[in-house]
Amino acid sequence: TSAMNAKASSGGEEEASGMRNKTLGESGCSGEVKRVQVILVAYLIATLELTFLFMQMGVMPYLAKSLGLDSVGFGYLQTTFGVLQLVGGPIFGRFADQFGTRAALIISCASGSAFFLLMSISTSIPLLFLSRLPAVFMHGLPGAQKVITDLTTPSQRADALGKLGLCFGIGIIIGSALGGVLSTKFGIFVPTYVGLVGNLINTMIAVVWIPLQAKPKSDHRVTGHSDVFSIREILRLMKFPGVMEVFIVKVFAGLPIGLFLIMFSIISMDFFGLEAVESGYLMSYFGVLQMVVQGLVVGKLTSRCTERTLLRLSVFVFASVGLGMALMRTVWHYCIVAVPLVFAFSTLGTITDSILTKAVPSSDTGTMLGICASVQPLTRTVGPTIGGILYKRFGVSSFGYLQLIVNLGLFVYLLKSKIPLREMKSQ
């Protein structure tokens, strides 16, 4: 304890870290080993869940087509999935805050199993729509983010959260390839069986390896188990200093690009003239880029720059990406633009998640991560409609110009405003 007292001036971070180790039922060195072990298990759970999710995304259009669903119907199917994830994100976060991350991850993996089970028996269109229902609780990535948030000090957080992008990259590459190979060689339903077994294994991993209570005791406020579905509790977090401003930047900075990516399957066919296989290669290229950026670049940047600087940098890069997209004409141009695009996406996502979880009490980090996780489903829900109108009326360059205008506005806003940020620099 004398050593801890000596270091108390460093903002109590080491003390918090010590408490995190004690929480896991260990002390000293073995506690640190256990902490690292649990974080690695969280990465594994996220990787497996994302792999199976991308695997079904690749197979889904063909399964829908074989059941006689047209492109409009498929759009409704995607929107259903988006709406369920959108609604489920904050509820899942509240559940994790109140009943623990372990319970939340087990529910997420079990829901994944139900999702694939229903999908594997989808012999009609109504059954296919029904198979989307468990998606409301499928939130492996926010679950893993919650484990990491609970077990890292504020200065380690951005780097540790950034490494989850590696899991995302691996999920895209392996999932997309696996879905294609399994469905082509063994039949359209085989990926759903693999997803079912994989999610059952994932559930067992969560039961065995994730500790009952990952969060330090002192971090708990007595919430008296207020309602998990309380909208007021969820909106209360938006009133903390800086939360609303950073959340607005998080939603709008990537929105035009998000719309472009939702329309990408159509754009890659019409505008770039790509075959399905070439589209798959392009997705893998994206995955590799994401892994390199998240695994190597973001971590190094968070240790050298303040979060405010990185927030401004990612928005500025997003604006320049918009200009590049407005001028691109071939798929090779797009491959070049993809580099700063992935950098801006990864940096913005990691930094905003890190800032927002530090801005709220640690007993609310799960809810905050749940709200953050709803940004993508929100884009997926409104995306097909808005993206379709933009593409039909104004063409591909309209996404780029919109991206440029929105992010220049946000950049000026970030330069002028004094958003209060905690933990200015990650040591």
Side-chain angles (χ1 to χ4, degrees), residues 126-150:
L127 268 174
L128 193 61
F129 272 89
L130 186 68
S131 75
R132 306 290 95 180
L133 263 183
V136 78
F137 291 120
M138 283 166 59
H139 296 281
L141 196 60
Q145 286 176 323
K146 174 90 173 92
V147 173
I148 290 159
T149 305
D150 288 348

Side-chain angles (χ1 to χ4, degrees), residues 188-240:
I188 197 83
F189 281 106
V190 173
T192 62
Y193 305 140
V194 173
L196 171 59
V197 174
N199 271 283
L200 287 171
I201 292 169
N202 229 0
T203 311
M204 293 311 297
I205 293 172
V207 170
V208 175
W209 288 97
I210 300 292
L212 205 56
Q213 192 55 60
K215 190 181 286 188
K217 295 277 187 290
S218 71
D219 285 5
H220 279 286
R221 279 192 304 109
V222 181
T223 51
H225 281 317
S226 56
D227 185 13
V228 171
F229 298 93
S230 163
I231 301 287
R232 197 174 77 244
E233 274 294 302
I234 292 165
L235 292 177
R236 173 181 63 83
L237 298 185
M238 288 294 164
K239 297 195 176 86
F240 282 98

Side-chain angles (χ1 to χ4, degrees), residues 79 259 262-263 379-391:
T79 303
L259 299 178
I262 282 168
M263 298 303 295
T379 312
R380 274 207 298 268
T381 308
V382 301
T385 315
I386 303 172
I389 293 167
L390 273 176
Y391 181 54

Side-chain angles (χ1 to χ4, degrees), residues 177-195:
L178 202 61
V181 171
L182 289 175
S183 58
T184 313
K185 290 227 169 139
F186 306 106
I188 197 83
F189 281 106
V190 173
T192 62
Y193 305 140
V194 173

Side-chain angles (χ1 to χ4, degrees), residues 327-376:
L327 302 174
M328 76 176 174
R329 292 290 170 267
T330 69
V331 73
W332 298 111
H333 292 165
Y334 180 60
C335 287
I336 295 165
V337 170
V339 179
L341 165 61
V342 170
F343 169 78
F345 244 126
S346 304
T347 311
L348 185 84
T350 304
I351 294 303
T352 49
D353 283 353
S354 178
I355 292 170
L356 291 168
T357 52
K358 289 175 199 169
V360 298
S362 56
S363 54
D364 290 314
T365 51
T367 313
M368 194 69 245
L369 286 166
I371 295 169
C372 290
S374 295
V375 174
Q376 250 181 331

Side-chain angles (χ1 to χ4, degrees), residues 57-291:
M57 276 180 187
V59 175
M60 206 60 209
Y62 303 100
L63 181 58
K65 199 174 179 183
S66 71
L67 295 175
L69 200 64
D70 62 3
S71 58
V72 176
F74 185 65
Y76 289 141
L77 190 70
Q78 296 292 75
T79 303
T80 306
F81 185 77
V83 169
L84 286 167
Q85 288 249 296
L86 178 66
V87 172
I91 295 169
F92 178 83
R94 290 270 298 144
F95 183 88
D97 280 335
Q98 298 206 354
F99 300 101
T101 315
R102 182 171 179 253
L105 272 175
I106 290 168
I107 279 199
S108 173
C109 298
S111 299
S113 306
F115 177 84
F116 281 103
L117 177 66
L118 286 168
M119 200 170 149
S120 68
I121 55 168
S122 292
T123 47
S124 66
I125 291 170
L127 268 174
L128 193 61
F129 272 89
L130 186 68
S131 75
R132 306 290 95 180
L133 263 183
V136 78
F137 291 120
M138 283 166 59
H139 296 281
L141 196 60
Q145 286 176 323
K146 174 90 173 92
V147 173
I148 290 159
T149 305
D150 288 348
L151 294 177
T152 53
T153 56
S155 63
Q156 301 165 327
R157 192 169 299 166
D159 185 24
L161 286 174
K163 289 199 171 64
L164 267 174
L166 271 172
C167 306
F168 203 82
I170 294 167
I172 288 180
I173 295 163
I174 298 176
S176 307
L178 202 61
V181 171
L182 289 175
S183 58
T184 313
K185 290 227 169 139
F186 306 106
I188 197 83
F189 281 106
V190 173
T192 62
Y193 305 140
V194 173
L196 171 59
V197 174
N199 271 283
L200 287 171
I201 292 169
N202 229 0
T203 311
M204 293 311 297
I205 293 172
V207 170
V208 175
W209 288 97
I210 300 292
L212 205 56
Q213 192 55 60
K215 190 181 286 188
K217 295 277 187 290
S218 71
D219 285 5
H220 279 286
R221 279 192 304 109
V222 181
T223 51
H225 281 317
S226 56
D227 185 13
V228 171
F229 298 93
S230 163
I231 301 287
R232 197 174 77 244
E233 274 294 302
I234 292 165
L235 292 177
R236 173 181 63 83
L237 298 185
M238 288 294 164
K239 297 195 176 86
F240 282 98
V243 170
M244 186 59 102
E245 295 94 322
V246 174
F247 190 71
I248 286 170
V249 173
K250 185 180 181 70
V251 172
F252 289 103
L255 186 63
I257 293 276
L259 299 178
F260 171 82
L261 291 175
I262 282 168
M263 298 303 295
F264 188 69
S265 54
I266 295 168
I267 291 169
S268 64
M269 277 191 301
D270 295 355
F271 187 74
F272 294 133
L274 300 183
E275 299 291 321
V277 179
E278 294 166 327
S279 272
Y281 291 147
L282 206 54
M283 281 299 283
S284 298
Y285 167 66
F286 248 95
V288 172
L289 268 183
Q290 173 130 19
M291 283 169 65

